[in-house]
Amino acid sequence: MTTRTDAPTRREQILKEAARLFAERGFHGVGVDEIGAAVGISGPGLYRHFAGKDAMLAELLVGISGRLLTGAKRRLAEAGGVAGPEAVLDSLIEGHIDFALDDRPLITLHDRELDRLRDSDRKLVRQLQRQYVELWVEVVRQVHPDLAEPAARSAVHSVFGLLNSTPHLGRRGFLPGRGATAELLHRMARGAFASASSPVAG
Amino acid sequence: MTTRTDAPTRREQILKEAARLFAERGFHGVGVDEIGAAVGISGPGLYRHFAGKDAMLAELLVGISGRLLTGAKRRLAEAGGVAGPEAVLDSLIEGHIDFALDDRPLITLHDRELDRLRDSDRKLVRQLQRQYVELWVEVVRQVHPDLAEPAARSAVHSVFGLLNSTPHLGRRGFLPGRGATAELLHRMARGAFASASSPVAG
DNA sequence: CCTCCAGGTTAACGAGCGCTAACCATCCTG
DNA sequence: CAGGATGGTTAGCGCTCGTTAACCTGGAGG
């Protein structure tokens, strides 16, 4: 566990606020002055920490994709040997839900602002995303062997859509607690995969 | 059925291209010159058809929400009397899938650029969206009576996320045909709702 | 104590944007 | 055939935005 207790550095403050603002109003809808104001400095002071506005977005998106993939690999390694594929899939779902619930702005950015990146960064992010998807596809096909590969890939993308719906839930603050929401999402994801494979049983 | 065979008007061309461009690069990422070029006229010629760039986005978003709600009401009225709630839910899912598969750019805009609207337009769109959600919630709770209302609402939002994942599917052109995809999404949506209500049966 | 650097500041530049103004062609109508 | 909509055009204004330049300050090191 790499839990941090020390204060966040200025760079991290900026990234966090930039993520929130980008998620709220879109990359082009946020000015550098606003980002600066959000961390108590103003405008061009950001350039002491980042090469430009694009660099902030790039670092955010690469960071997201990397963390998702790293976490998934770790979970696969931890649960893969001892437990069956069902437990691995549950662990993957749990990890993705944790991310979707704890870092909603990043989830929003994840599939929204990818096209604003420089070619090299975008290729890197897409490669990480693709690896993440493929890892899921393999596990899903172990749990549901009757699922063909294209269908499995579609199913994985759709379940991502389901899990990533968290930004739309709390609009009115009406969601029933983090634990209950996580459990609900988990059950729905498993149910969606199950119904994707077998032509339903009821 | 109100199938049109006549040629689309200039206004409709503009709206269609604007939707595609907005979905691809974001509202602020597209210039009026690009929208004009996409329909063969250039730049300020758009102002003969729309009051401004904002007006195009507004008309798109209001149109989307309105069509979704109208279609859902119609399906509820058609299938509501003769068939059971299960058939109504299937019809709602079918309608939403048709929309998600046939109008992907609009699906993308739907939950991405809402905040760029004037206050009045945004309130209108949100009201239509809310009605649409509530309609779904009622039907879902008829099919799954053991589902509490907050959970049902969360489940509906999550299934929207699942169905609206279509823009992410065809990136590499690897999706297995429209019919198969629609059927897969339909089964997954039903499975997700079922697993949302009962704490799973397997 | 002088120096230097990290991390700020404000001023200003240049590009791009939405939008308006002014003008022009085509066509339908009286 | 006059004439006014209709739907284009190009030029250009004004504003915003990302970025750079130039300058300032507090604290650490020799």
PDB file of all heavy atoms in Angstrom, chain A residues 10 41-42 45 48-49, chain C residues 7-12:
ATOM      1  N   ARG A  10       2.643  21.418  -5.310  1.00  0.00           N
ATOM      2  CA  ARG A  10       1.947  22.394  -6.139  1.00  0.00           C
ATOM      3  C   ARG A  10       1.503  21.774  -7.467  1.00  0.00           C
ATOM      4  O   ARG A  10       0.376  21.961  -7.923  1.00  0.00           O
ATOM      5  CB  ARG A  10       2.897  23.572  -6.361  1.00  0.00           C
ATOM      6  CG  ARG A  10       2.466  24.801  -7.110  1.00  0.00           C
ATOM      7  CD  ARG A  10       1.086  25.326  -6.865  1.00  0.00           C
ATOM      8  NE  ARG A  10       0.653  25.700  -5.565  1.00  0.00           N
ATOM      9  CZ  ARG A  10       0.668  26.911  -5.037  1.00  0.00           C
ATOM     10  NH1 ARG A  10       1.199  27.897  -5.686  1.00  0.00           N
ATOM     11  NH2 ARG A  10       0.148  27.151  -3.875  1.00  0.00           N
ATOM     12  N   ILE A  41      -2.681  30.899  -7.430  1.00  0.00           N
ATOM     13  CA  ILE A  41      -1.755  31.701  -8.210  1.00  0.00           C
ATOM     14  C   ILE A  41      -2.501  32.175  -9.449  1.00  0.00           C
ATOM     15  O   ILE A  41      -3.652  31.804  -9.660  1.00  0.00           O
ATOM     16  CB  ILE A  41      -0.489  30.923  -8.608  1.00  0.00           C
ATOM     17  CG1 ILE A  41      -0.804  29.906  -9.688  1.00  0.00           C
ATOM     18  CG2 ILE A  41       0.121  30.287  -7.386  1.00  0.00           C
ATOM     19  CD1 ILE A  41       0.387  29.088 -10.102  1.00  0.00           C
ATOM     20  N   SER A  42      -1.867  32.987 -10.251  1.00  0.00           N
ATOM     21  CA  SER A  42      -2.692  33.545 -11.309  1.00  0.00           C
ATOM     22  C   SER A  42      -2.020  33.398 -12.670  1.00  0.00           C
ATOM     23  O   SER A  42      -0.906  33.883 -12.880  1.00  0.00           O
ATOM     24  CB  SER A  42      -3.005  35.015 -11.025  1.00  0.00           C
ATOM     25  OG  SER A  42      -4.375  35.274 -11.278  1.00  0.00           O
ATOM     26  N   GLY A  45       1.655  31.907 -14.042  1.00  0.00           N
ATOM     27  CA  GLY A  45       2.457  31.228 -13.039  1.00  0.00           C
ATOM     28  C   GLY A  45       2.478  29.719 -13.226  1.00  0.00           C
ATOM     29  O   GLY A  45       3.396  29.040 -12.766  1.00  0.00           O
ATOM     30  N   ARG A  48       5.592  27.800 -14.679  1.00  0.00           N
ATOM     31  CA  ARG A  48       6.741  27.352 -13.896  1.00  0.00           C
ATOM     32  C   ARG A  48       6.653  25.863 -13.607  1.00  0.00           C
ATOM     33  O   ARG A  48       7.634  25.259 -13.166  1.00  0.00           O
ATOM     34  CB  ARG A  48       6.814  28.113 -12.570  1.00  0.00           C
ATOM     35  CG  ARG A  48       6.955  29.611 -12.716  1.00  0.00           C
ATOM     36  CD  ARG A  48       8.342  30.003 -13.169  1.00  0.00           C
ATOM     37  NE  ARG A  48       8.392  31.411 -13.599  1.00  0.00           N
ATOM     38  CZ  ARG A  48       9.392  31.929 -14.283  1.00  0.00           C
ATOM     39  NH1 ARG A  48      10.409  31.169 -14.632  1.00  0.00           N
ATOM     40  NH2 ARG A  48       9.377  33.194 -14.642  1.00  0.00           N
ATOM     41  N   HIS A  49       5.473  25.264 -13.814  1.00  0.00           N
ATOM     42  CA  HIS A  49       5.272  23.855 -13.465  1.00  0.00           C
ATOM     43  C   HIS A  49       4.954  22.983 -14.673  1.00  0.00           C
ATOM     44  O   HIS A  49       5.225  21.777 -14.648  1.00  0.00           O
ATOM     45  CB  HIS A  49       4.144  23.737 -12.443  1.00  0.00           C
ATOM     46  CG  HIS A  49       4.350  24.551 -11.210  1.00  0.00           C
ATOM     47  ND1 HIS A  49       5.080  24.100 -10.136  1.00  0.00           N
ATOM     48  CD2 HIS A  49       3.955  25.802 -10.885  1.00  0.00           C
ATOM     49  CE1 HIS A  49       5.110  25.040  -9.196  1.00  0.00           C
ATOM     50  NE2 HIS A  49       4.435  26.081  -9.622  1.00  0.00           N
TER      51      HIS A  49
ATOM     52  P    DG C   7       9.838  25.633  -7.221  1.00  0.00           P
ATOM     53  OP1  DG C   7       9.232  24.756  -6.198  1.00  0.00           O
ATOM     54  OP2  DG C   7      10.000  25.192  -8.605  1.00  0.00           O
ATOM     55  O5'  DG C   7       9.046  27.018  -7.223  1.00  0.00           O
ATOM     56  C5'  DG C   7       8.762  27.641  -5.986  1.00  0.00           C
ATOM     57  C4'  DG C   7       8.077  28.952  -6.244  1.00  0.00           C
ATOM     58  O4'  DG C   7       9.004  29.852  -6.909  1.00  0.00           O
ATOM     59  C3'  DG C   7       6.855  28.859  -7.174  1.00  0.00           C
ATOM     60  O3'  DG C   7       5.796  29.600  -6.611  1.00  0.00           O
ATOM     61  C2'  DG C   7       7.346  29.497  -8.458  1.00  0.00           C
ATOM     62  C1'  DG C   7       8.280  30.549  -7.888  1.00  0.00           C
ATOM     63  N9   DG C   7       9.202  31.134  -8.844  1.00  0.00           N
ATOM     64  C8   DG C   7       9.842  30.517  -9.891  1.00  0.00           C
ATOM     65  N7   DG C   7      10.595  31.322 -10.587  1.00  0.00           N
ATOM     66  C5   DG C   7      10.450  32.556  -9.971  1.00  0.00           C
ATOM     67  C6   DG C   7      11.017  33.818 -10.280  1.00  0.00           C
ATOM     68  O6   DG C   7      11.799  34.098 -11.188  1.00  0.00           O
ATOM     69  N1   DG C   7      10.604  34.799  -9.382  1.00  0.00           N
ATOM     70  C2   DG C   7       9.743  34.595  -8.336  1.00  0.00           C
ATOM     71  N2   DG C   7       9.448  35.653  -7.584  1.00  0.00           N
ATOM     72  N3   DG C   7       9.198  33.417  -8.036  1.00  0.00           N
ATOM     73  C4   DG C   7       9.595  32.454  -8.892  1.00  0.00           C
ATOM     74  P    DG C   8       4.282  29.124  -6.858  1.00  0.00           P
ATOM     75  OP1  DG C   8       3.871  28.397  -5.681  1.00  0.00           O
ATOM     76  OP2  DG C   8       4.231  28.500  -8.194  1.00  0.00           O
ATOM     77  O5'  DG C   8       3.493  30.510  -6.904  1.00  0.00           O
ATOM     78  C5'  DG C   8       3.552  31.323  -8.057  1.00  0.00           C
ATOM     79  C4'  DG C   8       3.990  32.718  -7.674  1.00  0.00           C
ATOM     80  O4'  DG C   8       5.408  32.822  -7.912  1.00  0.00           O
ATOM     81  C3'  DG C   8       3.366  33.824  -8.504  1.00  0.00           C
ATOM     82  O3'  DG C   8       2.134  34.240  -7.968  1.00  0.00           O
ATOM     83  C2'  DG C   8       4.424  34.923  -8.400  1.00  0.00           C
ATOM     84  C1'  DG C   8       5.718  34.137  -8.318  1.00  0.00           C
ATOM     85  N9   DG C   8       6.479  34.046  -9.587  1.00  0.00           N
ATOM     86  C8   DG C   8       6.719  32.904 -10.318  1.00  0.00           C
ATOM     87  N7   DG C   8       7.440  33.114 -11.385  1.00  0.00           N
ATOM     88  C5   DG C   8       7.695  34.475 -11.375  1.00  0.00           C
ATOM     89  C6   DG C   8       8.435  35.274 -12.279  1.00  0.00           C
ATOM     90  O6   DG C   8       9.029  34.928 -13.300  1.00  0.00           O
ATOM     91  N1   DG C   8       8.426  36.606 -11.888  1.00  0.00           N
ATOM     92  C2   DG C   8       7.799  37.112 -10.769  1.00  0.00           C
ATOM     93  N2   DG C   8       7.904  38.421 -10.563  1.00  0.00           N
ATOM     94  N3   DG C   8       7.113  36.372  -9.918  1.00  0.00           N
ATOM     95  C4   DG C   8       7.104  35.067 -10.275  1.00  0.00           C
ATOM     96  P    DT C   9       1.013  34.797  -8.891  1.00  0.00           P
ATOM     97  OP1  DT C   9      -0.206  34.948  -8.073  1.00  0.00           O
ATOM     98  OP2  DT C   9       1.001  33.953 -10.087  1.00  0.00           O
ATOM     99  O5'  DT C   9       1.534  36.242  -9.301  1.00  0.00           O
ATOM    100  C5'  DT C   9       1.720  37.236  -8.298  1.00  0.00           C
ATOM    101  C4'  DT C   9       2.378  38.460  -8.908  1.00  0.00           C
ATOM    102  O4'  DT C   9       3.671  38.077  -9.453  1.00  0.00           O
ATOM    103  C3'  DT C   9       1.615  39.039 -10.097  1.00  0.00           C
ATOM    104  O3'  DT C   9       0.709  40.033  -9.650  1.00  0.00           O
ATOM    105  C2'  DT C   9       2.711  39.647 -10.963  1.00  0.00           C
ATOM    106  C1'  DT C   9       3.966  38.846 -10.584  1.00  0.00           C
ATOM    107  N1   DT C   9       4.446  37.919 -11.664  1.00  0.00           N
ATOM    108  C2   DT C   9       5.232  38.404 -12.673  1.00  0.00           C
ATOM    109  O2   DT C   9       5.566  39.568 -12.771  1.00  0.00           O
ATOM    110  N3   DT C   9       5.628  37.472 -13.594  1.00  0.00           N
ATOM    111  C4   DT C   9       5.325  36.128 -13.597  1.00  0.00           C
ATOM    112  O4   DT C   9       5.742  35.379 -14.475  1.00  0.00           O
ATOM    113  C5   DT C   9       4.483  35.694 -12.513  1.00  0.00           C
ATOM    114  C7   DT C   9       4.079  34.253 -12.426  1.00  0.00           C
ATOM    115  C6   DT C   9       4.094  36.598 -11.601  1.00  0.00           C
ATOM    116  P    DT C  10      -0.499  40.412 -10.548  1.00  0.00           P
ATOM    117  OP1  DT C  10      -1.403  41.244  -9.735  1.00  0.00           O
ATOM    118  OP2  DT C  10      -0.987  39.188 -11.219  1.00  0.00           O
ATOM    119  O5'  DT C  10       0.177  41.330 -11.684  1.00  0.00           O
ATOM    120  C5'  DT C  10       0.891  42.496 -11.313  1.00  0.00           C
ATOM    121  C4'  DT C  10       1.483  43.165 -12.548  1.00  0.00           C
ATOM    122  O4'  DT C  10       2.414  42.243 -13.182  1.00  0.00           O
ATOM    123  C3'  DT C  10       0.464  43.546 -13.631  1.00  0.00           C
ATOM    124  O3'  DT C  10       0.802  44.823 -14.157  1.00  0.00           O
ATOM    125  C2'  DT C  10       0.609  42.445 -14.672  1.00  0.00           C
ATOM    126  C1'  DT C  10       2.078  42.090 -14.547  1.00  0.00           C
ATOM    127  N1   DT C  10       2.385  40.690 -14.914  1.00  0.00           N
ATOM    128  C2   DT C  10       3.301  40.423 -15.889  1.00  0.00           C
ATOM    129  O2   DT C  10       3.902  41.288 -16.498  1.00  0.00           O
ATOM    130  N3   DT C  10       3.503  39.084 -16.139  1.00  0.00           N
ATOM    131  C4   DT C  10       2.897  38.022 -15.515  1.00  0.00           C
ATOM    132  O4   DT C  10       3.168  36.869 -15.828  1.00  0.00           O
ATOM    133  C5   DT C  10       1.936  38.382 -14.496  1.00  0.00           C
ATOM    134  C7   DT C  10       1.208  37.298 -13.756  1.00  0.00           C
ATOM    135  C6   DT C  10       1.724  39.673 -14.244  1.00  0.00           C
ATOM    136  P    DA C  11      -0.164  45.502 -15.250  1.00  0.00           P
ATOM    137  OP1  DA C  11      -0.219  46.938 -14.959  1.00  0.00           O
ATOM    138  OP2  DA C  11      -1.400  44.710 -15.353  1.00  0.00           O
ATOM    139  O5'  DA C  11       0.681  45.270 -16.591  1.00  0.00           O
ATOM    140  C5'  DA C  11       2.079  45.520 -16.577  1.00  0.00           C
ATOM    141  C4'  DA C  11       2.641  45.479 -17.996  1.00  0.00           C
ATOM    142  O4'  DA C  11       2.991  44.100 -18.320  1.00  0.00           O
ATOM    143  C3'  DA C  11       1.678  45.927 -19.097  1.00  0.00           C
ATOM    144  O3'  DA C  11       2.424  46.577 -20.124  1.00  0.00           O
ATOM    145  C2'  DA C  11       1.050  44.625 -19.568  1.00  0.00           C
ATOM    146  C1'  DA C  11       2.212  43.642 -19.408  1.00  0.00           C
ATOM    147  N9   DA C  11       1.804  42.273 -19.087  1.00  0.00           N
ATOM    148  C8   DA C  11       0.850  41.884 -18.190  1.00  0.00           C
ATOM    149  N7   DA C  11       0.702  40.582 -18.103  1.00  0.00           N
ATOM    150  C5   DA C  11       1.628  40.077 -18.994  1.00  0.00           C
ATOM    151  C6   DA C  11       1.967  38.760 -19.360  1.00  0.00           C
ATOM    152  N6   DA C  11       1.394  37.673 -18.839  1.00  0.00           N
ATOM    153  N1   DA C  11       2.936  38.608 -20.293  1.00  0.00           N
ATOM    154  C2   DA C  11       3.522  39.704 -20.806  1.00  0.00           C
ATOM    155  N3   DA C  11       3.283  40.992 -20.537  1.00  0.00           N
ATOM    156  C4   DA C  11       2.317  41.103 -19.611  1.00  0.00           C
ATOM    157  P    DA C  12       1.693  47.269 -21.361  1.00  0.00           P
ATOM    158  OP1  DA C  12       2.483  48.450 -21.740  1.00  0.00           O
ATOM    159  OP2  DA C  12       0.252  47.370 -21.062  1.00  0.00           O
ATOM    160  O5'  DA C  12       1.906  46.168 -22.495  1.00  0.00           O
ATOM    161  C5'  DA C  12       3.189  45.561 -22.627  1.00  0.00           C
ATOM    162  C4'  DA C  12       3.112  44.432 -23.628  1.00  0.00           C
ATOM    163  O4'  DA C  12       2.651  43.227 -22.960  1.00  0.00           O
ATOM    164  C3'  DA C  12       2.127  44.669 -24.786  1.00  0.00           C
ATOM    165  O3'  DA C  12       2.752  44.268 -25.982  1.00  0.00           O
ATOM    166  C2'  DA C  12       0.952  43.768 -24.436  1.00  0.00           C
ATOM    167  C1'  DA C  12       1.709  42.603 -23.799  1.00  0.00           C
ATOM    168  N9   DA C  12       0.899  41.703 -22.985  1.00  0.00           N
ATOM    169  C8   DA C  12      -0.061  42.039 -22.084  1.00  0.00           C
ATOM    170  N7   DA C  12      -0.626  41.004 -21.499  1.00  0.00           N
ATOM    171  C5   DA C  12       0.010  39.912 -22.069  1.00  0.00           C
ATOM    172  C6   DA C  12      -0.135  38.535 -21.877  1.00  0.00           C
ATOM    173  N6   DA C  12      -1.003  37.996 -21.028  1.00  0.00           N
ATOM    174  N1   DA C  12       0.657  37.707 -22.606  1.00  0.00           N
ATOM    175  C2   DA C  12       1.521  38.254 -23.455  1.00  0.00           C
ATOM    176  N3   DA C  12       1.757  39.545 -23.710  1.00  0.00           N
ATOM    177  C4   DA C  12       0.956  40.330 -22.984  1.00  0.00           C
TER     178       DA C  12
END
